[in-house]
Amino acid sequence: MILEDAEQLVKVLNKENNHVILKSANRLYSNRDKSILEDYIQAAVKYFAADVKSVDFTSNPEGSRQEINKWVEEVTNEKIKNMLPSGTIDTLTRMVVANAIYFKENCSRPFETRRTKKANFHTLGGQSVKVAMMQRTMHYPRFGENKDFNCRVLQLPYIGDEMAMVVLLPKTVDGLLEMEKSIDLVTLNQCIKNETFAPNFEVFIPKFKIESSLQLSGTLSALGMPDVFDESKADLSGMGNELCVSKVFHKAFVDVNEEGTEAAADTCGNAVYASHISRTWSSFEADHPFMFMIWHYELNAPLFIGRFTGPTSELCIKRIQQGEVIF
């Protein structure tokens, strides 16, 4: 992504909207020793609308960590807490780049609480567990089938129809893992575009609240960027001298209930020295593991991607790169 594209992305994410609460914030915490180049700081401000805060990592690393965590908590409406665990900031830290996004929206046609009932959910392990299953009758919903992924796709629009929760439900109980191996951003767009308005039917979706906490250094190295974490190989000279990335943390939270969806995510990185529709269905019942997205129509991309595999699910925000979905 070129810098101009990043600038446009930030503008879209922060565009005023009467129906959606969508906030994206970037903040660059740089050490007071001026080790981070001014040109890099100005580029972050211009293209990423980053707020810049000078802190003293050298003499007060723990206080700086707490300050960063407090900012993340405020931006995500207190959904993301303790973003940087104790000990992750030390006297060698020279910069922390923090990005946070918060989303809250109500469905254009919410589920009725009185219709939520306990129902069976079939897990990948072959067990059946009870979940709170929401239910509603949808009139001409946007629905489709994707033969390549052997799944059904349903859109649950939010007020304003600028975004939607999209559910990709495999046709088999254990189909999620196989589907995830082949899906990418191009095929996700195809799933969205191939949907058409289907006849009325009943929709059953679990009510859930899940979150995850990930350390992505190993994942990013496996994706092809190991040198940036190696102080003997890293070249971050455009940011400052003798820098490398120490750790990348990611936390995410999603709450799906009768009224709609609330979601938040934050990523922090530390820099340190050295289809066709079947007309025969009468229902869409998500009673086994599925993928879900919060889809932004203008961007033609998901803001969040996750998987629900049962009551003990962790939210897996997937990184889509080079045709693969990485967990």
Side-chain angles (χ1 to χ4, degrees), residues 176-235:
L176 177 64
L177 299 181
E178 191 63 32
M179 182 179 72
E180 290 172 337
K181 292 178 182 179
S182 54
I183 204 163
D184 58 22
L185 187 57
V186 173
T187 54
L188 286 178
N189 269 285
Q190 290 174 348
C191 287
I192 298 296
K193 293 178 181 178
N194 287 344
E195 292 185 6
T196 59
F197 291 96
N200 300 354
F201 54 73
E202 293 298 307
V203 173
F204 300 83
I205 301 288
K207 177 179 178 178
F208 59 88
K209 182 188 294 185
I210 51 180
E211 58 185 305
S212 70
S213 180
L214 305 173
Q215 215 282 69
L216 296 176
S217 303
T219 301
L220 294 174
S221 294
L223 283 170
M225 50 181 296
D227 289 357
V228 75
F229 298 99
D230 186 334
E231 59 182 293
S232 65
K233 297 180 179 179
D235 181 7

Side-chain angles (χ1 to χ4, degrees), residues 137-162:
T137 302
M138 293 193 69
H139 303 290
Y140 292 95
R142 293 197 64 178
F143 171 81
E145 292 182 43
N146 189 293
K147 293 184 178 180
D148 292 334
F149 307 129
N150 197 32
C151 73
R152 304 162 186 170
V153 185
L154 177 69
Q155 294 187 32
L156 300 172
Y158 297 116
I159 295 175
D161 291 327
E162 296 179 1

Side-chain angles (χ1 to χ4, degrees), residues 152-156 165-169 195 205 284 286 290-293:
R152 304 162 186 170
V153 185
L154 177 69
Q155 294 187 32
L156 300 172
M165 179 175 174
V166 180
V167 179
L168 284 74
L169 178 68
E195 292 185 6
I205 301 288
F284 181 95
F290 58 86
M291 180 186 294
F292 64 90
M293 304 179 289

Side-chain angles (χ1 to χ4, degrees), residues 80 83 99 101-103 180 183 188 208 210-216 219-220 223 248-256 261-267 290-295 301-309 313-321 324-327:
I80 304 296
M83 179 65 211
N99 167 264
I101 185 169
Y102 175 79
F103 169 86
E180 290 172 337
I183 204 163
L188 286 178
F208 59 88
I210 51 180
E211 58 185 305
S212 70
S213 180
L214 305 173
Q215 215 282 69
L216 296 176
T219 301
L220 294 174
L223 283 170
V248 178
F249 297 95
H250 179 85
K251 274 194 172 186
F253 167 93
V254 169
D255 182 3
V256 176
T261 304
E262 184 173 26
D266 184 85
T267 302
F290 58 86
M291 180 186 294
F292 64 90
M293 304 179 289
I294 297 176
W295 190 266
L303 300 181
F304 296 83
I305 303 180
R307 50 157 30 180
F308 182 76
T309 58
S313 291
E314 280 194 340
L315 178 66
C316 298
I317 297 298
K318 302 165 180 63
R319 305 189 62 86
I320 303 173
Q321 184 160 330
E324 293 184 323
V325 178
I326 307 298
F327 298 91

